[in-house]
Amino acid sequence: MLTGIGSAFILATMTKLAVSLLVESLSAAHAQAAQAAERGADLVEYRIDLFTEELTALKALVERSPLPCILTCRPEWEGGEYSGDEESRRAVLVAAAEAGPAYLDIELAAWTGDPELRRRLEPLLDGPKAVTPSSVGLILSTHDFQTRPADLLQRVEAMAATATARVAKLAYRARSLRDNIECFELLLAQHKPTVAIAMGEYGLASRVLAKKFGALLSFVGLDDRAVTAPGQVGLETMKSLYRWDRLRADTSVYGVIGWPVAHSMSPAIHNAGFDAVGYNGVYLPMPIPPEYEHFKATVGDWLNHAPLNFRGASVTIPHKENLIRYVKEVGGEVEPLSEAIGAANTLTVRDDGSLYASNTDYAAAIDAVVEAMEISREQVADKRVAVIGAGGAARAIVAGFAGYGASVVVYNRTMERAAQLAEEFSNRPIVPGITPGDVTAAPLDELSDSYCNIYINCTPLGMHPHVDATPMPELANTRGVVDAAMGSGPIVVFDTIYNPIRTRLIRDAEALSCHTISGIQMFVRQGAAQFTAWTGLPAPEDVFEKILRDRLTQTKTNESNK
Ligand code: NAP
């Protein structure tokens, strides 16, 4: 038991992870705090907004706490759950201070607006007016659950000017990823220990990177479902996914830019990859609304903030075109093939600060195929490839295969789109020194008449939850497949979908003894190429693949348990 651990202990060390708990009973709170301690939390915040036991029980709450603690009784008017009047709350706060926690959290508005509260609390806190030496530090806090308050800087000044406040805590709902930058600035300028949190889905960076910028602490929930503020993540997520223990001031920052990105699996693979090779980086989801102006303003702000050390990003729908436009606008370099495809998925900040936009999707697709066929990229020139679909993924794959000389047929539901793609890439020189292949278009219902060596699904047909769908219901009768079965050489069926791992198309193709390639292989390879572009190191592809498989299996299990 760590009873009596005071604030000096806390301030002497690095940014702490504080698990925030809404207290329902003493025993439940202590049990949860014990779990938090076991899982590596440094502090616990007891939210006593709904505490219904005698106030004297607060002493036991603190004394028997397995971790040093913060006591907070947040009123409804500041976004909390306490619904009583301020006079009753004053009594709770005095009892809380008397219980001797490491910290007591009080709202700036309450502190400045209630002289009686100050008169009663000041002797109990460790500020200049303390009558006896006290270990209770005052956290002066301010919250806005709607937006960034217009008077934020005045609030910061008021906190700085309050001598009794040992800690300044600012929390407001971020309007975009850009609001994280202001949190970092507040931390860099801190005169007293500070907590600066951008709340909501845009604010994750402020929580994870609190350690990089020397915040006093970052709040987490006991797990992802037991959180006490918008955007908070669970202890385990912070520790294992975002590698809290490895974060330092010089950690490089990466992310996946998209809209939406909450379900992206890229943070899981890249963070695990950094861990596996001992690279000092962290990778975050970066939601940016679709319009180019949002992309430009956000990416620009993140790149321009030198202490952030933002070094690169995976870029996904709907920003793949925006990335090319942006990199060109700021004088960076765009890989020629990305330019030809019109879409890039990787942003790399080079050592001299210049930007490079590239596309790892096409290379991932080609390499997955050539490896399965045991041929070189150049040897796809004598292959005939059926690409099913004419959207973004198909575009990169058509450009890549035709660029390396293969004959490509684009089969699509909407014939005009297929024809457009064919016209754009047929016999178009893309890869230096290689004669490009021809690209033709055909309606989707002619697929079973096709005679190809390689079939690639670039439609969402068969993707979760419509797992019984397939773009090739006639696979067993498809001419190319029938011929291959008669000994004309191996045939490859490649489904770019990775959820589920084994789609109906893949299962049907396996039953016909085709070589099969799943979307996981493409996903792993495109991620691996990004990883190498950023770190200069070979990617631990086995780690990537294991994580993807585990996550997809977990999702399936969770769903079948619902
Ligand atoms: P997209 O731009 O929206 O294009 C979707 C294509 O699928 C279009 O050609 C569309 O035809 C066709 N399509 C959609 N619904 C259809 C239906 N019900 N019947 C027939 N055709 C249909 O999407 P995308 O970005 O290219 O992504 C396509 C797939 O690629 C996704 O399912 C994704 O899983 C996969 N992908 C995988 C990876 C990886 O790393 N493994 C990477 C990127 C993408 P119309 O032209 O007629 O609308």
Side-chain angles (χ1 to χ4, degrees):
M1 193 159 309
L2 300 174
T3 307
I5 290 187
S7 46
F9 163 82
I10 293 151
L11 284 179
T13 52
M14 283 197 302
T15 304
K16 301 294 176 190
L17 258 190
V19 169
S20 184
L21 300 172
L22 202 52
V23 177
E24 282 165 10
S25 71
L26 272 190
S27 55
H30 284 150
Q32 290 171 334
Q35 285 177 35
E38 203 173 293
R39 297 180 203 166
D42 307 298
L43 272 173
V44 63
E45 178 192 43
Y46 293 118
R47 285 279 303 267
I48 53 172
D49 315 14
L50 299 175
F51 194 66
T52 50
E53 296 183 35
E54 293 293 315
L55 289 183
T56 47
L58 288 175
K59 199 142 190 77
L61 179 66
V62 172
E63 279 182 0
R64 292 193 218 139
S65 176
L67 286 169
C69 68
I70 303 167
L71 289 187
T72 303
C73 179
R74 188 78 68 229
E76 283 179 343
W77 55 262
E78 183 94 355
E81 311 250 2
Y82 185 84
S83 57
D85 60 30
E86 280 303 283
E87 200 176 321
S88 320
R89 199 169 75 102
R90 221 184 271 141
V92 175
L93 293 172
V94 170
E98 285 169 346
Y103 294 104
L104 178 67
D105 179 312
I106 296 181
E107 306 73 33
L108 173 68
W111 185 259
T112 51
D114 186 347
E116 177 60 13
L117 180 71
R118 292 200 300 274
R119 189 188 67 72
R120 293 182 61 188
L121 281 179
E122 270 173 340
L124 303 168
L125 301 169
D126 72 348
K129 296 191 183 159
V131 278
T132 51
S134 163
S135 63
V136 184
L138 173 63
I139 298 178
L140 217 45
S141 67
T142 178
H143 304 78
D144 191 322
F145 286 82
Q146 305 304 323
T147 187
R148 175 203 179 276
D151 63 346
L152 181 73
L153 297 181
Q154 283 94 311
R155 297 188 195 189
V156 173
E157 277 168 27
M159 290 178 175
T162 306
T164 313
R166 194 191 307 155
V167 179
K169 175 191 167 194
L170 303 119
Y172 53 92
R173 186 177 279 273
R175 298 156 300 174
S176 79
L177 287 179
R178 301 166 72 189
D179 276 340
N180 291 285
I181 301 282
E182 190 169 30
C183 288
F184 305 151
E185 285 297 304
L186 290 170
L187 292 172
L188 289 170
Q190 62 190 302
H191 294 297
K192 61 173 76 181
T194 299
V195 179
I197 302 164
M199 291 189 286
E201 65 158 339
Y202 291 117
L204 179 67
S206 72
R207 297 183 182 277
V208 175
L209 303 179
K211 190 169 174 200
K212 180 174 163 74
F213 289 97
L216 172 74
L217 59 86
S218 187
F219 290 102
V220 287
L222 188 58
D223 61 49
D224 283 339
R225 281 156 304 164
V227 297
T228 58
Q232 209 176 72
V233 296
L235 176 58
E236 173 70 11
T237 297
M238 188 66 101
K239 281 248 181 195
S240 2
L241 176 58
Y242 297 117
R243 307 171 62 237
W244 175 264
D245 295 329
R246 305 271 180 287
L247 297 173
R248 304 195 314 232
D250 62 353
T251 297
S252 299
V253 176
Y254 301 86
V256 51
I257 296 174
W259 184 266
V261 283
H263 293 102
S264 169
M265 287 192 272
S266 296
I269 64 167
H270 285 293
N271 283 316
F274 293 157
D275 212 44
V277 305
Y279 183 76
N280 182 17
V282 64
Y283 185 105
L284 303 168
M286 296 178 60
I288 300 182
E291 297 76 21
Y292 178 65
E293 289 63 35
H294 286 291
F295 182 92
K296 179 178 176 172
T298 306
V299 174
D301 265 17
W302 275 47
L303 287 167
N304 289 335
H305 193 258
L308 178 59
N309 207 16
F310 177 47
R311 306 286 302 163
S314 312
V315 178
T316 182
I317 294 166
H319 288 299
K320 291 184 176 189
E321 292 82 16
N322 289 340
L323 173 59
I324 294 193
R325 181 172 164 192
Y326 178 74
V327 168
K328 277 189 184 167
E329 250 178 54
V330 299
E333 186 187 341
V334 177
E335 174 199 31
L337 212 136
S338 300
E339 178 104 51
I341 297 167
N345 74 339
T346 310
L347 170 67
T348 305
V349 182
R350 291 166 162 155
D351 288 344
D352 64 2
S354 66
L355 303 186
Y356 182 61
S358 57
N359 190 314
T360 63
D361 281 336
Y362 84 89
I366 288 201
D367 290 342
V369 170
V370 300
E371 193 169 289
M373 298 184 95
E374 296 181 1
I375 57 175
S376 68
R377 276 192 189 185
E378 288 69 22
Q379 285 173 298
V380 302
D382 62 7
K383 303 292 177 221
R384 200 167 153 77
V385 185
V387 173
I388 310 161
R395 203 179 158 75
I397 288 175
V398 168
F401 276 92
Y404 275 94
S407 292
V408 179
V409 190
V410 182
Y411 291 90
N412 197 44
R413 179 177 60 178
T414 311
M415 187 57 190
E416 298 90 281
R417 282 186 89 187
Q420 220 171 8
L421 207 53
E423 192 183 324
E424 206 177 330
F425 290 108
S426 191
N427 298 307
R428 174 172 170 185
I430 291 178
V431 183
I434 296 208
T435 309
D438 63 315
V439 183
T440 52
L444 193 54
D445 54 18
E446 286 181 12
L447 194 51
S448 59
D449 267 346
S450 67
Y451 187 88
C452 292
N453 312 96
I454 302 159
Y455 292 85
I456 308 178
N457 176 35
C458 300
T459 74
L461 286 167
M463 186 155 76
H464 177 84
H466 307 293
V467 293
D468 291 327
T470 168
M472 299 184 77
E474 297 286 321
L475 183 65
N477 301 321
T478 300
R479 282 174 54 205
V481 178
V482 172
D483 252 52
M486 291 166 71
S488 73
I491 197 149
V492 171
V493 175
F494 174 7
D495 199 340
T496 61
I497 292 171
Y498 53 78
N499 187 11
I501 301 168
R502 284 176 77 236
T503 56
R504 177 172 157 204
L505 175 62
I506 293 285
R507 284 185 275 121
D508 290 351
E510 280 170 357
L512 296 167
S513 303
C514 302
H515 272 311
T516 56
I517 302 173
S518 78
I520 278 211
Q521 283 157 273
M522 176 169 167
F523 193 82
V524 166
R525 283 168 189 273
Q526 61 81 28
Q530 297 179 325
F531 186 94
T532 301
W534 300 326
T535 63
L537 301 167
E541 292 189 19
D542 50 338
V543 173
F544 284 16
E545 182 160 344
K546 181 173 183 326
I547 286 184
L548 285 174
R549 285 184 184 278
D550 287 353
R551 288 221 152 196
L552 290 167
T553 312
Q554 187 61 43
T555 311
K556 203 169 151 189
T557 313
N558 290 347
E559 278 173 6
S560 55
N561 287 343
K562 270 183 193 168

